[in-house]
Amino acid sequence: MTEPQPSYSAWVYKTSRVLLLCWLRWKFKLKVSGENNVPEQGGVIIASNHASYLDPPLLACPLKHRVVRFMARDTLFINPMARWYFFRTGVVPLSRDRGDVGAIKSAIQLLKQGQCVGLFPEGTRTLDGNLQSAKGGIGFLIAKAEVPVVPVYISGSFEAYPKGSKKMKSHPITVQYGPAIQPDELDIKNERGKTDFDAIGRLIMDRIELLKNTPFPT
């Protein structure tokens, strides 16, 4: 059953953002580029590769001009402390096993309201550091939302804290926000004239890979 909408707290979010950003800069020598590619107003998706539990704060904390809402698997809400925190920071619970249509609808509603939603098109963290294919539901969400999508590539989070690791390493991390992909470019049809959700997902991953292959600005 889909959880009710989180009770967002601006105080909890803003305090967390500042503290986490300071920690990320100290622990991982975090460097960021292109954050101005995220528009200051209006619905927008920021879509990143996913290699570590560090990725959500790495994606959101550099953006002082936007509050980033995330979807996370509902099993992360079992712990009472985590549940309290995730709700207060605006996280939307998502059942990955059953395919939670309600959570996807909630994300679309947030975007229609002019909010910023952070997504990891691959769905799960990579096991080897390489990019994975986008999940099918991502293309559906993007097509229905009809908002710009800002691709993002996070480098170094896999080396710092990969899936299965019990200890973080002080490995340098960079976050690169690319130019926004506009809704008209995301209006991709198949040979039958219907929206090609898989092609939309591939386009997003292609833009993330392009950032991966682009040297980080010095």
Side-chain angles (χ1 to χ4, degrees):
M1 182 176 179
T2 302
E3 296 282 355
Q5 282 290 306
S7 301
Y8 169 74
S9 168
W11 182 87
V12 173
Y13 183 93
K14 292 178 180 179
T15 302
S16 298
R17 191 195 74 80
V18 172
L19 293 176
L20 282 169
L21 184 59
C22 291
W23 177 73
L24 291 168
R25 287 173 173 169
W26 169 77
K27 179 72 173 179
F28 305 107
K29 310 303 182 199
L30 176 64
K31 293 183 179 180
V32 182
S33 172
E35 57 267 46
N36 290 334
N37 284 318
V38 179
E40 294 187 3
Q41 296 181 340
V44 62
I45 293 170
I46 49 176
S48 172
N49 61 306
H50 197 15
S52 171
Y53 277 140
L54 294 169
D55 295 334
L58 286 167
L59 188 60
C61 290
L63 301 177
K64 63 181 180 180
H65 61 296
R66 294 303 301 254
V67 171
V68 182
R69 306 289 297 272
F70 287 100
M71 293 188 293
R73 66 179 186 271
D74 52 6
T75 54
L76 296 176
F77 288 72
I78 295 175
N79 180 283
M81 287 293 293
R83 180 185 179 88
W84 183 92
Y85 182 76
F86 286 144
F87 275 12
R88 296 309 182 275
T89 52
V91 178
V92 179
L94 172 65
S95 173
R96 294 189 306 175
D97 294 332
R98 297 190 303 271
D100 196 332
V101 177
I104 293 177
K105 287 182 177 179
S106 296
I108 294 174
Q109 183 178 18
L110 291 172
L111 292 163
K112 295 291 187 181
Q113 293 171 353
Q115 298 197 47
C116 177
V117 173
L119 296 178
F120 299 104
E122 297 160 293
T124 59
R125 290 166 292 159
T126 176
L127 293 174
D128 57 9
N130 294 319
L131 295 179
Q132 308 170 87
S133 299
K135 298 297 183 182
I138 293 298
F140 175 82
L141 192 161
I142 291 171
K144 296 301 181 181
E146 298 181 301
V147 298
V149 178
V150 176
V152 184
Y153 182 68
I154 299 172
S155 175
S157 65
F158 177 79
E159 291 78 6
Y161 194 37
K163 187 173 183 178
S165 177
K166 297 182 179 180
K167 185 177 180 180
M168 296 181 187
K169 299 178 181 179
S170 298
H171 190 281
I173 294 176
T174 61
V175 179
Q176 191 167 356
Y177 300 82
I181 309 170
Q182 298 303 321
D184 58 348
E185 189 176 356
L186 293 164
D187 185 19
I188 304 174
K189 307 295 185 183
N190 58 27
E191 63 277 4
R192 293 172 293 178
K194 296 184 178 181
T195 301
D196 192 332
F197 302 127
D198 291 337
I200 293 172
R202 288 195 297 270
L203 173 61
I204 301 303
M205 292 309 301
D206 285 346
R207 295 300 173 86
I208 294 173
E209 185 172 15
L210 181 62
L211 290 171
K212 176 182 179 181
N213 296 326
T214 301
F216 188 84
T218 57

